Amino acid sequence: MYSREESQKLKREFWVAFAEKYPRKWVLYDTKIKDFSFKFYIDNKKAQVLIDIEHRSDEKRMAYFEKLEALKNILEEEFIKDLVFEKNFTLESGKTISRIWVEKTGVGFSNRNNWETIFDFFFEKMNALEMFYLEYDEFIKDIEQ
């Protein structure tokens, strides 16, 4: 096992190596929708590419989630398969959000032999989600206020 400091250092090295392999600006938090973001996640068991909808208003959170659900067939047929849609996902903090994600299990940042596989997974899946979002963002943003 790594110490906390060693683990943090390795994680930094991981993200720097990823940015060097795929140098581009990702949409991530710049969606123009409050509390609607794309995220990368990595630990020592899995890698995930996520869409998190964290709006304080459950009504708005559900409205955005339902917009994405309405596009699920297009999303899965044209952009990315094996997505998990969870309307009420509870974070460790106890906060309930809506989350859509795809994951690759059996990989972790502490094993450098996994890095290329994870980098390619991150790039392929996030790129697909971003292409989808850029094509359908006007529809997604258009919820009743």
Side-chain angles (χ1 to χ4, degrees):
M1 282 305 289
Y2 293 101
S3 73
R4 183 180 169 115
E5 292 78 22
E6 289 170 326
S7 184
Q8 287 174 335
K9 183 177 182 283
L10 190 59
K11 216 171 216 184
R12 269 193 304 278
E13 288 174 23
F14 172 88
W15 289 115
V16 167
F18 175 62
E20 287 171 354
K21 179 165 184 182
Y22 292 110
R24 60 167 282 194
K25 182 167 174 25
W26 299 95
V27 171
L28 302 178
Y29 294 92
D30 192 22
T31 62
K32 309 293 188 255
I33 300 175
K34 183 174 173 48
D35 299 320
F36 184 109
S37 56
F38 295 89
K39 297 177 181 177
F40 293 108
Y41 176 81
I42 183 75
D43 62 19
N44 275 315
K45 296 184 176 107
K46 66 186 172 297
Q48 296 176 316
V49 174
L50 316 145
I51 299 174
D52 279 355
I53 308 167
E54 304 180 65
H55 209 285
R56 273 190 209 100
S57 158
D58 282 344
E59 197 173 283
K60 285 188 177 180
R61 178 173 60 84
M62 295 295 175
Y64 288 124
F65 183 82
E66 287 164 7
K67 286 283 193 156
L68 292 171
E69 259 186 339
L71 296 168
K72 185 176 181 177
N73 287 341
I74 293 169
L75 182 55
E76 291 188 332
E77 288 172 18
E78 297 180 23
F79 296 93
I80 187 170
K81 295 203 179 316
D82 302 321
L83 286 166
V84 178
F85 282 68
E86 194 159 338
K87 188 180 282 188
N88 296 301
F89 182 89
T90 305
L91 299 173
E92 284 182 20
S93 67
K95 180 180 181 182
T96 299
I97 67 169
S98 294
R99 177 173 277 180
I100 298 166
W101 77 93
V102 61
E103 72 181 16
K104 181 172 206 59
T105 56
V107 295
F109 73 90
S110 63
N111 182 347
R112 289 177 187 269
N113 295 328
N114 291 329
W115 285 15
E116 288 299 314
T117 302
I118 296 166
F119 294 165
D120 294 344
F121 169 79
F122 275 171
F123 178 79
E124 177 191 338
K125 303 306 183 186
M126 184 63 82
N127 191 59
L129 282 180
E130 286 188 353
M131 292 298 106
F132 161 77
Y133 180 73
L134 294 172
E135 190 165 329
Y136 292 97
D137 67 327
E138 291 304 318
F139 173 77
I140 295 165
K141 288 175 188 172
D142 184 27
I143 64 168
E144 296 298 319
Q145 300 302 323

